[in-house]
Amino acid sequence: NAGVMQNPRHLVRRRGQEARLRCSPMKGHSHVYWYRQLPEEGLKFMVYLQKENIIDESGMPKERFSAEFPKEGPSILRIQQVVRGDSAAYFCASSPGQRETQYFGPGTRLLVL
Amino acid sequence: TQLLEQSPQFLSIQEGENLTVYCNSSSVFSSLQWYRQEPGEGPVLLVTVVTGGEVKKLKRLTFQFGDARKDSSLHITAAQPGDTGLYLCAGPDHNTDKLIFGTGTRLQVFP
């Protein structure tokens, strides 16, 4: 059973470009969470989605960031007009249901030049 | 606001030594989880503790959940270089499904 998959593992963007991060949950999991980790810090929640629905986006910056989890395909975290402060590791986790164990992917490390 | 504070922040020890990492909060959590994260990888779940006072053992690792469910500890016996990594505690938010992560403890075990 494949784990949570994220791609790309590393992404380099120049200021002002767009970054798209993809997350394929574990088989059978319909709940996806995105977290951000700044260097030498713990993980901070960004957004929680179920298929086609955003359940909680309280941790997501109001501008430039968006997330989706379509009926078919991976969940996408999109960052428009990236700035240097967006440089971080972005982790996706999935779970089979509410209040169940979350399993993490390997992360995407975004570097904004 | 629920917060989880971990101590120590950094720990460097020699192989064979014992150590304890603490995770503390002023809030009650329904459960707490411990993860280990290695450089360039995502957090890997080690254990979930649910009941106040619960003790769980995973080989040389012993996890305890405080009686009041506000704190937890991780004790490693006879540490090995393979134990090196970032240890994170995490608990579910009261009202949502999001996880609140602790500040992390970075452990380095030297041979």
Side-chain angles (χ1 to χ4, degrees):
Chain A
N1 186 15
V4 178
M5 300 178 69
Q6 289 188 248
N7 68 81
R9 293 290 304 272
H10 300 272
L11 183 60
V12 180
R13 284 287 178 267
R14 296 194 180 278
R15 281 178 295 170
Q17 291 184 320
E18 179 180 282
R20 282 195 183 199
L21 288 61
R22 295 175 185 77
C23 168
S24 295
M26 287 178 70
K27 188 176 180 180
H29 288 193
S30 58
H31 298 240
V32 165
Y33 311 79
W34 286 92
Y35 294 82
R36 178 164 64 178
Q37 185 177 37
L38 296 173
E40 304 300 323
E41 291 190 13
L43 280 73
K44 296 285 193 292
F45 168 80
M46 298 182 74
V47 62
Y48 163 36
L49 310 101
Q50 294 179 30
K51 283 286 186 181
E52 299 184 280
N53 288 308
I54 296 175
I55 307 302
D56 179 358
E57 56 182 349
S58 59
M60 197 118 89
K62 295 201 181 331
E63 296 180 354
R64 302 189 297 108
F65 285 72
S66 62
E68 62 178 13
F69 189 16
K71 188 176 179 181
E72 301 290 338
S75 174
I76 307 282
L77 179 68
R78 184 182 291 112
I79 311 173
Q80 296 177 304
Q81 299 176 318
V82 295
V83 301
R84 288 212 175 116
D86 296 332
S87 295
Y90 292 82
F91 291 97
C92 167
S94 73
S95 70
Q98 281 186 314
R99 299 276 169 177
E100 298 202 48
T101 298
Q102 295 179 26
Y103 295 90
F104 284 81
T108 294
R109 276 137 192 93
L110 172 65
L111 175 63
V112 180
L113 301 177
Chain B
T1 304
Q2 296 169 271
L3 293 174
L4 285 167
E5 296 281 342
Q6 287 185 239
S7 62
Q9 188 176 358
F10 299 98
L11 194 53
S12 292
I13 60 172
Q14 291 293 128
E15 183 176 2
E17 291 185 26
N18 301 331
L19 66 115
T20 302
V21 176
Y22 299 93
C23 173
N24 295 297
S25 176
S26 58
S27 304
V28 174
F29 281 85
S30 58
S31 64
L32 279 179
Q33 299 170 350
W34 284 92
Y35 292 83
R36 183 170 72 202
Q37 184 181 17
E38 298 188 24
E41 298 296 330
V44 175
L45 180 67
L46 297 174
V47 79
T48 300
V49 286
V50 178
T51 307
E54 181 178 7
V55 176
K56 280 192 174 178
K57 292 194 174 186
L58 187 66
K59 297 183 181 178
R60 295 176 294 101
L61 278 60
T62 301
F63 304 85
Q64 186 161 10
F65 201 11
D67 291 340
R69 291 185 289 134
K70 290 183 178 181
D71 56 88
S72 181
S73 64
L74 158 59
H75 182 80
I76 302 179
T77 304
Q80 298 178 0
D83 296 328
T84 293
L86 177 66
Y87 288 82
L88 296 161
C89 64
D93 180 87
H94 285 157
N95 301 313
T96 69
D97 274 6
K98 68 185 181 186
L99 281 176
I100 297 167
F101 277 85
T103 46
T105 295
R106 191 165 295 280
L107 172 65
Q108 176 82 50
V109 182
F110 292 97

